[in-house]
Amino acid sequence: MDDSNQQKVGQISGAEIIMRCLQEENVKFVFGYPGGAVLHIYDALFKQKHFKHILVRHEQAAVHAADAFSRATGEVGVALVTSGPGATNAVTGIATAYMDSIPMVVISGQVPTAAIGMDAFQEVDMVGVTRPCVKHNFLIKDVHDIAITLKKAFYIAASGRPGPVVVDIPKDITAEFAEFDYPKSVEMRSYTPVTKGHSGQIKKAVKILLEAKRPMIYTGGGLVLGDASNELVKLARTLDYPVTNTLMGLGGYPATDKQYVGMLGMHGTYEANNAMQDCDVLLAVGARFDDRVVGNPDHFLSVPRTIIHIDVDPSSISKRVKVDVPIVGHVQSVLGEMNELLAAETKKPDASALKSWWAKIDGWRAKNTSSYDGSSSSIIKPQYVIEKLCEVTKGDAFVTSDVGQHQMWAAQYYKFDKPRRWINSGGLGTMGVGLPYAMGCQLAYPDAQVACVTGEGSIQMNIQELSTCKQFHLPIKVILLNNRYLGMVRQWQEFFYENRYSESYMDSLPDFVKLAESYGHVGMNIEKPGDVEGALQDAFAMKDKFVFMNFMTDQKENVFPMVPNGKGLSEMILGSDPNANDAVDEMEG
Amino acid sequence: MKHIISLLMENEAGALSRVAGLFSARAYNIESLTVAPTEDATLSRMTIVTSGSDEVIEQIIKQLNKLVDVVKVLDLNDGRYIERELMLVKVKATGALREEMKRISDIFRGRIIDVADGSYTIELTGSGSKLDAFLEALDKTVILETVRTGASGIGRGDRILKV
Ligand SMILES: Cc1ncc(C[n+]2csc(CCOP(=O)(O)OP(=O)(O)O)c2C)c(N)n1
Ligand SMILES: [Mg+2]
């Protein structure tokens, strides 16, 4: 063993090696929080100027902000936390990123190597704790392994189906010395993600697509993560087939396009869910047929249809729903190849079948299930706020959301024409992401409009970040749809528990305006529908101000349409049903 | 249906817990799991005996392949293979039982590897079902202790799992 404690010529400390690795990876922001186990790292950080450190107020927010930075830019997000409580605080953020396949590297400090396993102060088995919610994790045991391990971490996080990677580094390792040598590339015999799809399968898929009578294209978060929007638009336009996006896939296809039938799933549109159920050929791209999307899989499969599924992760294929033509590959490359084949193809889609299919879809559309009763001049409808938000920001903002009813309304009523604009926790459904997500977006795009749509329950789960926003002058606009309820919980209790609103009120709320002002931000209370638009205009005109907008909204508004748990996609409850709530009771009975 | 899955993985700390964790997190059955380094010390070879519908087995194989430390996965049931397990059984061997235990052990091609005043320890190898059959052939009351290694498996002929 060489003596790594003595610095020799050409050597730098482990902490400095970490800085150099981040520099090599072109990291622009590190979101973090210091503590004992990472003091050497923070000392090295103090001396460098290649990236900016964003000091959050809670480690969970550091990870969420890094996650949003990645969602908005496509780059790998980076967070840095100390051992023990710092590390466990980060876990919710890591799990959130994992469920949505977000590429991230989380560096956690660990107690010194000799103290591991001794129940040392602030010791937690981070590799063990995070194992089920990371793509991979490492515990570094030798200063010479830091560079190669971080290289692998960034590579694993960003390639294949992306995901968070945790690198746990004991304190002593960061004080030892070694030469810095960053590998240009890594090869791992155990990890070789696919890129190109099988050309035979792609040909077969194109043939089936062209024979479709009632085609449907369904795309998810994988399309956005795979940056394949342009390829999708080209394909869909060539074929003139209808397109739906999942909650995670919004913006993957422009929402204002006439071929777009809206979001599908539990709170999807009538036309999207019916077309999904009724189609004879389904092209699924970077989507995983999860329980919130296809409802009851048996009901979904009771209608025969041919399913083509493109995904970079073989384990996503035929997991919940058996597919006919699996194509494992990078969605961008596979759709690109399909477009080339279509361009060379003489056969065209069946025009008359397509015409009657569109007529059927337009019939569903005519039901206009996203209409709501906006006639009141005294009570603000949450949907209305989002519609106006979309207008005022010209549909071009980065919109983050928390979790609950407001999330669904944001997804339904904001028209996303571009990918990576809609930033939310789809898989884990983590309340509290909204504000840190907005921080990540605003730092990535300082001049962009960033709106955080939230609920009074969710915002309080990371409200401390108002302080971070002050420190870094982040001109985020918080759109609080304040219904004084944990609205989504209350809605389920109304529908499925005979209005027993068990612990779903939100009482003793702070004065949000004063709270915002106490941090030096601007606060606004908006109580009348007539004030909504003007207030939004005023807020977004304050380009360099953080504005906290507290909209007092209808307390009892529900999210419709709704596919109740365990029901089929075409068994939706519509808001326009005068007896929507009775309809729910009946289905339950 | 019962499946025997063989895999090669990087011989790294924590690799075993990733596989074990995957099975518990996704509620897959695990009947037995054996692991040891191979002739190449950087690789471990694991044999997992599991059961499930075809869809579940397909998912298990895919999820195993997804683990970053896993180099190769083979479902031995996709072709011809040999399965072997080692069992040590300590049985009562007093009076007439001494003769009888020896006889049953011989029938199953077992070997008595320890002889004590009141007991024998029998070593037996074979497929899991052969070992089950041996235990069934014994009267429950004579069995003092058993220990099994769990199955190891290997493909027949030119079915070779190697990097
Ligand atoms: C961390 C966390 N805890 C609990 C839940 C369960 N949950 C889902 S939505 C919701 C209510 C959210 O209330 P609010 O933020 O006010 O939004 P609203 O539904 O009223 O729009 C709750 C408690 C969750 N998703 N995340
Ligand atoms: Mg609420």
Side-chain angles (χ1 to χ4, degrees):
Chain A
M1 269 240 25
D2 65 337
D3 187 1
S4 309
N5 292 317
Q6 294 287 315
Q7 185 165 17
K8 297 199 196 71
V9 183
Q11 291 188 330
I12 57 175
S13 74
E16 286 162 338
I17 291 175
I18 297 169
M19 297 303 111
R20 293 284 298 275
C21 294
L22 298 178
Q23 183 188 334
E24 292 286 332
E25 292 292 340
N26 274 318
V27 171
K28 299 183 190 80
F29 294 100
V30 171
F31 300 86
Y33 209 96
V38 287
L39 279 173
H40 298 316
I41 301 179
Y42 270 87
D43 193 47
L45 190 150
F46 188 80
K47 297 174 195 152
Q48 65 79 43
K49 45 185 183 314
H50 294 282
F51 60 81
K52 188 164 177 174
H53 179 270
I54 305 296
L55 178 71
V56 294
R57 301 299 184 265
H58 187 298
E59 289 87 351
Q60 183 188 345
V63 183
H64 289 327
D67 164 343
F69 181 84
S70 174
R71 290 180 200 241
T73 62
E75 294 167 34
V76 177
V78 180
L80 170 61
V81 297
T82 192
S83 69
T88 51
N89 272 350
V91 171
T92 300
I94 295 167
T96 303
Y98 179 67
M99 287 298 278
D100 290 342
S101 307
I102 306 304
M104 238 174 28
V105 170
V106 178
I107 299 172
S108 53
Q110 182 53 278
V111 300
T113 319
I116 292 180
M118 310 301 283
D119 299 321
F121 177 62
Q122 297 196 326
E123 178 182 3
V124 73
D125 172 12
M126 186 59 169
V127 164
V129 166
T130 57
R131 193 187 307 114
C133 59
V134 291
K135 182 165 173 188
H136 198 59
N137 56 21
F138 296 95
L139 170 63
I140 298 185
K141 290 199 172 135
D142 185 330
V143 65
H144 298 95
D145 292 341
I146 293 178
I148 178 71
T149 307
L150 280 169
K151 180 77 196 177
K152 282 184 185 171
F154 276 89
Y155 167 61
I156 292 169
S159 55
R161 178 177 183 170
V165 177
V166 165
V167 182
D168 199 31
I169 313 182
K171 185 172 186 179
D172 54 325
I173 304 281
T174 62
E176 289 174 4
F177 298 98
E179 272 172 31
F180 176 66
D181 179 16
Y182 204 62
K184 285 265 170 305
S185 64
V186 270
E187 249 180 60
M188 299 170 69
R189 62 180 171 184
S190 65
Y191 178 72
T192 48
V194 287
T195 45
K196 272 175 71 75
H198 188 279
S199 57
Q201 291 288 88
I202 296 176
K203 279 203 189 85
K204 191 167 157 193
V206 168
K207 185 162 176 283
I208 292 170
L209 275 175
L210 285 170
E211 282 162 4
K213 305 280 179 226
R214 300 185 312 281
M216 180 72 174
I217 302 174
Y218 143 64
T219 79
L223 185 106
V224 175
L225 291 171
D227 291 315
S229 252
N230 292 339
E231 287 73 13
L232 170 70
V233 170
K234 185 161 181 210
L235 180 95
R237 297 246 167 91
T238 309
L239 294 168
D240 188 30
Y241 289 177
V243 184
T244 181
N245 290 161
T246 67
L247 178 71
M248 288 310 298
L250 296 182
Y253 192 83
T256 53
D257 187 273
K258 64 179 187 349
Q259 279 168 250
Y260 186 63
V261 296
M263 181 172 81
L264 85 167
M266 181 174 270
H267 296 297
T269 66
Y270 191 67
E271 51 273 31
N273 282 350
N274 273 307
M276 182 83 174
Q277 183 72 18
D278 233 39
C279 65
D280 70 337
V281 171
L282 178 64
L283 173 64
V285 189
R288 57 192 179 96
F289 295 89
D290 80 88
D291 51 319
R292 288 296 192 258
V293 161
V294 291
N296 182 339
D298 295 333
H299 182 275
F300 181 65
L301 290 171
S302 65
V303 184
R305 64 175 90 63
T306 308
I307 304 178
I308 303 159
H309 189 181
I310 310 170
D311 205 290
V312 73
D313 175 10
S315 76
S316 277
I317 293 178
S318 292
K319 183 162 70 180
R320 287 191 84 245
V321 165
K322 189 116 191 101
V323 308
D324 306 281
V325 186
I327 304 175
V328 177
H330 199 285
V331 289
Q332 192 189 58
S333 119
V334 174
L335 288 179
E337 277 189 60
M338 285 183 151
N339 282 328
E340 279 170 28
L341 288 175
L342 280 170
E345 182 62 60
T346 48
K347 188 175 156 85
K348 297 286 162 228
D350 181 337
S352 76
L354 203 53
K355 197 166 168 227
S356 41
W357 178 228
W358 271 116
K360 199 163 183 192
I361 292 171
D362 287 337
W364 289 319
R365 258 183 185 157
K367 259 193 123 122
N368 192 15
T369 53
S370 58
S371 67
Y372 57 90
D373 177 8
S375 57
S376 164
S377 59
S378 56
I379 299 179
I380 299 177
K381 287 287 178 180
Q383 301 94 324
Y384 177 73
V385 178
I386 305 294
E387 279 182 343
K388 289 295 154 193
L389 173 68
C390 188
E391 276 175 39
V392 169
T393 57
K394 306 207 162 51
D396 200 31
F398 286 82
V399 178
T400 76
S401 100
D402 266 300
V403 174
Q405 291 182 316
H406 61 273
Q407 175 190 24
M408 292 303 131
W409 288 316
Q412 290 174 330
Y413 293 90
Y414 200 97
K415 302 295 170 211
F416 295 95
D417 277 341
K418 292 181 194 154
R420 300 192 179 277
R421 290 303 174 99
W422 165 240
I423 314 284
N424 86 129
S425 164
L428 198 66
T430 309
M431 285 171 70
V433 295
L435 186 53
Y437 272 3
M439 294 171 5
C441 294
Q442 192 76 76
L443 284 160
Y445 299 104
D447 300 325
Q449 309 179 91
V450 178
C452 164
V453 176
T454 185
E456 75 297 333
S458 295
I459 192 73
Q460 293 187 86
M461 284 208 180
N462 267 317
I463 192 90
Q464 76 286 345
E465 297 308 315
L466 288 174
S467 173
T468 313
C469 294
K470 173 183 184 178
Q471 180 179 348
F472 294 96
H473 308 289
L474 304 179
I476 293 160
K477 311 295 180 266
V478 170
I479 314 295
L480 168 58
L481 302 180
N482 188 342
N483 54 7
R484 284 83 74 209
Y485 272 114
L486 298 174
M488 190 56 98
V489 173
R490 190 205 55 73
Q491 174 169 348
W492 283 55
Q493 290 170 336
E494 178 185 330
F495 287 4
F496 310 122
Y497 297 89
E498 297 167 329
N499 303 314
R500 287 186 299 278
Y501 295 158
S502 178
E503 305 298 319
S504 55
Y505 60 87
M506 263 287 120
D507 215 337
S508 304
L509 291 172
D511 179 333
F512 286 110
V513 169
K514 278 195 188 144
L515 182 68
E517 285 171 354
S518 74
Y519 285 100
H521 301 318
V522 177
M524 291 182 180
N525 276 325
I526 304 97
E527 289 167 9
K528 297 254 158 0
D531 296 339
V532 169
E533 190 167 357
L536 283 166
Q537 272 158 353
D538 291 349
F540 280 92
M542 289 185 255
K543 293 213 183 305
D544 54 354
K545 286 273 186 221
F546 183 108
V547 184
F548 196 114
M549 309 186 74
N550 180 31
F551 292 91
M552 299 305 262
T553 57
D554 187 351
Q555 283 201 275
K556 293 290 179 74
E557 188 63 30
N558 288 323
V559 181
F560 290 115
M562 179 172 185
V563 179
N565 240 0
K567 291 289 173 181
L569 274 182
S570 53
E571 301 176 308
M572 271 163 287
I573 312 161
L574 305 177
S576 54
D577 290 353
N579 307 319
N581 298 348
D582 299 347
V584 179
D585 291 345
E586 231 166 74
M587 305 190 97
E588 279 301 284
Chain B
M1 200 186 120
K2 188 175 117 173
H3 278 247
I4 302 186
I5 296 168
S6 276
L7 62 92
L8 286 170
M9 60 197 305
E10 297 293 350
N11 188 6
E12 303 226 1
L16 170 62
S17 61
R18 289 183 207 279
V19 174
L22 170 71
F23 274 73
S24 67
R26 296 194 181 263
Y28 300 143
N29 285 317
I30 192 158
E31 225 163 82
S32 73
L33 185 158
T34 67
V35 62
T38 64
E39 78 286 359
D40 170 353
T42 67
L43 284 174
S44 289
R45 166 98 176 215
M46 188 180 281
T47 308
I48 304 164
V49 181
T50 182
S51 58
S53 63
D54 289 351
E55 291 77 41
V56 169
I57 299 294
E58 187 184 327
Q59 264 299 310
I60 291 176
I61 304 274
K62 285 176 172 176
Q63 294 292 346
L64 285 169
N65 268 312
K66 210 164 123 174
L67 292 176
V68 169
D69 282 338
V70 169
V71 184
K72 269 191 180 166
V73 183
L74 179 68
D75 182 353
L76 287 175
N77 293 59
D78 283 347
R80 301 196 318 131
Y81 67 95
I82 303 163
E83 170 203 348
R84 285 291 179 274
E85 184 176 356
L86 171 72
M87 174 167 70
L88 305 177
V89 192
K90 193 175 287 183
V91 293
K92 256 191 220 156
T94 47
L97 273 177
R98 276 185 105 72
E99 207 23 58
E100 188 181 338
M101 287 304 121
K102 170 85 175 73
R103 204 168 46 80
I104 297 184
S105 168
D106 286 347
I107 293 171
F108 282 84
R109 294 182 207 286
R111 293 199 304 143
I112 295 174
I113 55 171
D114 185 47
V115 178
D117 263 358
S119 71
Y120 287 155
T121 298
I122 302 169
E123 173 194 311
L124 203 67
T125 50
S127 65
S129 50
K130 175 184 163 182
L131 304 190
D132 293 343
F134 177 71
L135 291 176
E136 246 151 59
L138 296 176
D139 183 18
K140 289 278 163 299
T141 57
V142 306
I143 301 175
L144 299 172
E145 186 181 347
T146 63
V147 53
R148 297 170 68 150
T149 58
S152 290
I154 197 164
R156 280 190 187 271
D158 52 13
R159 285 189 89 198
I160 289 166
L161 180 64
K162 212 173 157 68
V163 288

